[in-house]
Amino acid sequence: MTTSTYTVVGMTCDHCAGSVREELGRLDGVSQVDVDLATGNVDVTSAAPLGDDDVKAAVEEAGYQLAGS
């Protein structure tokens, strides 16, 4: 198992966090997604490291952006 932390920009409520959690949770191998709404940090636990492009696409599908992209 591996855990990676990403910063998501634009989340303002629990619904926002839920959308990000749902989209990231659909990625292959993801077992847990923890969202800290106050900081925008998202911890993703998966069986193997995730591709940055896959994470970015999932966050964008939820309607948000990764910081720095």
Side-chain angles (χ1 to χ4, degrees):
M1 290 297 223
T2 183
T3 300
S4 300
T5 301
Y6 304 93
T7 303
V8 176
V9 179
M11 296 185 298
T12 59
C13 65
D14 288 336
H15 182 268
C16 300
S19 295
V20 169
R21 192 178 300 113
E22 180 180 339
E23 291 300 329
L24 288 170
R26 291 181 178 169
L27 295 177
D28 286 339
V30 171
S31 59
Q32 185 172 339
V33 179
D34 296 311
V35 177
D36 183 333
L37 192 56
T39 64
N41 287 342
V42 179
D43 296 325
V44 182
T45 303
S46 56
L50 299 171
D52 289 339
D53 290 341
D54 294 333
V55 172
K56 181 179 178 182
V59 169
E60 289 178 353
E61 181 66 27
Y64 305 96
Q65 291 186 340
L66 288 178
S69 60

